[in-house]
């Protein structure tokens, strides 16, 4: 369905801006009026990572007058495989600042506003309040629900995107005209059920594919042209090179945008989504050791059985010496339990600690009461014990 333009046109374009945007101006659907709307628009991009990188670059190139960036992270070498707004010289620099410098190279007529704090329930309403449109490039469920609920309460549209390995999704959520994110996903998946990109990986170029679609939708919303993805979910399979769309209906019983909403104010989204299950959190309480604790155990020759619960391809990248690979799926199915020795203490680890905590709960329920897991996982081992090993 067509939607009204989000913003009024700016008063004018300068001669330099006319030259810069000439390829837009000669498109009848955009023209001078559409480009003036882009100039007058204020768009906030949440995250300057995989999706935020191409989105910010193309929004800037398109002539969006004000771009806000929310990101509190720093550029890491592992980001460069897909986060094209950053370069080698930016490693260690705040992502928001790195992105701002790249945008200045693309289009000096864009005003860039940095929000370098972590987005949460205490600041989201104030930050979002200054923008016409939100582009969501986050990779965790807690922030996605936070963005959605804030936009519904503020009556603002946002463009959502998601990527994982070879698969991408995108949609436009605007509760005033259609469904919101909760209409599609009323509840977050159980903790540990859906791996993040950091755990499962992502094809770098997929970020550009989905990020550019997000910008395309943003331009349509700002200028009031075309048929936005409101009420539709676009699904992209990069391996099959296929696109399809699925109709998403507004849920009259939606907790936030339905007829009788139960979520009328922001909530604790970390608790709502849960990084780990209650069982895992309970199991890890008092049964979490540090990477240096593990190193001491190994040096002293203690009778432990060290298990790596990651996937085989992760094990190939880096592993803790002496660890036996038993992927998490084998713990979920129960197949791993028959491989556990009774005469040694079970020590579990994964990449960062979440998956190993889930496995720890299973192991403890099976009677291995003295089992522990390594907080921070192999990443902590690399940073605290052996920095010569690669990180990912």
């Amino acid at each position: 369905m067509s939607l009204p333009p989000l913003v009024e046109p700016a008063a004018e374009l300068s001669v330099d801006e006319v030259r810069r945007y000439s390829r837009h101006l000669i498109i009848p659907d955009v023209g001078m009026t559409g480009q003036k709307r882009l100039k007058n628009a204020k768009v906030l991009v949440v995250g300057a990572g995989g999706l935020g990188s191409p989105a910010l670059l193309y929004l800037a190139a398109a002539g969006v007058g004000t771009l806000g960036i929310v990101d509190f992270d720093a550029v890491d070498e592992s980001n460069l495989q897909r986060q094209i707004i950053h370069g080698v010289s930016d490693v260690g620099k705040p992502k928001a600042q790195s992105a701002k410098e790249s945008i200045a190279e693309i289009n000096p007529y864009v005003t860039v506003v940095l929000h370098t704090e972590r987005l949460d329930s205490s600041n989201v309403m104030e930050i979002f309040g200054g923008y016409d449109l939100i582009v969501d490039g986050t990779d965790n469920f807690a922030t996605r629900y936070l963005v959605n609920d804030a936009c519904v309460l503020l009556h603002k549209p946002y463009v959502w995107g998601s990527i994982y390995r070879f698969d991408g999704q995108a949609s436009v959520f605007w509760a005033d005209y259609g469904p919101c994110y909760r209409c599609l996903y009323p509840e977050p998946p159980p903790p540990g059920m859906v791996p993040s990109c950091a755990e499962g990986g992502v094809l770098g170029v997929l970020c550009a594919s989905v990020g550019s679609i997000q910008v395309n939708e943003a331009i349509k919303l700002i200028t009031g042209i075309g048929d936005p993805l409101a009420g539709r979910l676009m699904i992209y399979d990069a391996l099959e090179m296929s696109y399809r769309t699925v109709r998403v209906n507004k849920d009259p019983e939606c907790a936030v945008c339905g007829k009788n909403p139960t979520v009328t104010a922001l909530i604790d989204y970390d608790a709502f989504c849960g990084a780990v299950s209650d069982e895992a959190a309970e199991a890890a309480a008092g049964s979490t050791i540090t990477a240096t604790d593990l190193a001491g155990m190994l040096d002293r020759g203690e009778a432990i059985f060290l298990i790596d619960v990651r996937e085989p391809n992760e094990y190939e990248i880096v592993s803790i010496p002496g660890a036996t690979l038993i992927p998490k799926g084998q713990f979920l199915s129960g197949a791993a339990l028959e491989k556990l020795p009774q005469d040694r203490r079970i020590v579990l680890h994964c990449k960062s600690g979440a998956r190993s905590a889930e496995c720890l709960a299973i192991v403890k329920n099976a009677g291995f009461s003295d089992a522990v897991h390594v907080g921070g996982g192999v990443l902590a081992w690399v940073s605290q014990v052996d920095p010569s090993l690669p990180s990912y």
Side-chain angles (χ1 to χ4, degrees), residues 9 25 29-39 222-223 225:
L25 301 179
D29 290 348
V30 179
M32 288 290 288
T33 300
Q35 193 63 48
K36 288 178 180 178
R37 293 188 196 278
L38 290 170
K39 180 179 180 178
I222 292 166
T223 58
I225 63 175

Side-chain angles (χ1 to χ4, degrees), residues 78 173 201 226 250 303 309 357 360 374 385:
S78 67
F173 297 112
K250 191 176 183 70
V309 304
L360 180 64
V374 182
V385 179

Side-chain angles (χ1 to χ4, degrees), residues 18 65 174 203 237 304 336 357:
V18 170
W174 194 354
L203 186 70
D237 184 330
I304 66 172

Side-chain angles (χ1 to χ4, degrees), residues 178-265:
C180 76
Y181 180 77
R182 282 182 185 258
C183 295
L184 178 62
Y185 298 114
E187 298 285 342
M193 182 64 69
V194 179
S196 67
C197 290
E199 294 176 349
V202 61
L203 186 70
V205 72
L206 183 67
C207 301
S209 300
V210 176
S212 62
I213 289 171
Q214 288 182 280
V215 175
N216 185 64
E217 293 305 299
I219 291 172
K220 287 156 61 179
L221 289 169
I222 292 166
T223 58
I225 63 175
D227 185 10
L229 280 173
R232 292 182 294 151
L233 174 68
M234 187 226 67
I235 301 171
Y236 170 53
D237 184 330
L239 283 182
E240 298 293 334
M241 189 45 67
S242 64
Y243 291 87
R244 62 189 179 96
T245 57
V246 176
R247 177 63 58 184
V248 180
N249 295 318
K250 191 176 183 70
D251 181 4
E253 304 303 320
C254 176
V256 68
C257 78
K259 295 178 180 178
N260 299 293
T262 57
V263 178
T264 57

Side-chain angles (χ1 to χ4, degrees), residues 192 305-311 323-341 345-350 354-368 371-373:
F305 187 58
L306 180 61
I307 302 173
D308 187 334
V309 304
R310 299 175 298 155
E311 296 302 309
T324 298
L325 177 66
I326 306 179
K328 176 185 171 183
Q330 295 187 31
F331 286 90
L332 296 176
S333 69
L337 298 178
E338 63 186 24
K339 302 178 182 180
L340 306 185
R345 188 181 191 186
I346 304 301
V347 180
L348 304 157
H349 86 81
C350 61
R355 284 175 282 178
S356 59
E358 299 288 345
C359 295
L360 180 64
I362 297 171
V363 169
K364 282 183 171 291
N365 287 335
F368 296 87
V372 294
H373 87 123

Side-chain angles (χ1 to χ4, degrees), residues 371-388:
V372 294
H373 87 123
V374 182
V378 72
L379 294 182
W381 180 271
V382 172
S383 65
Q384 300 171 20
V385 179
D386 191 356
S388 68

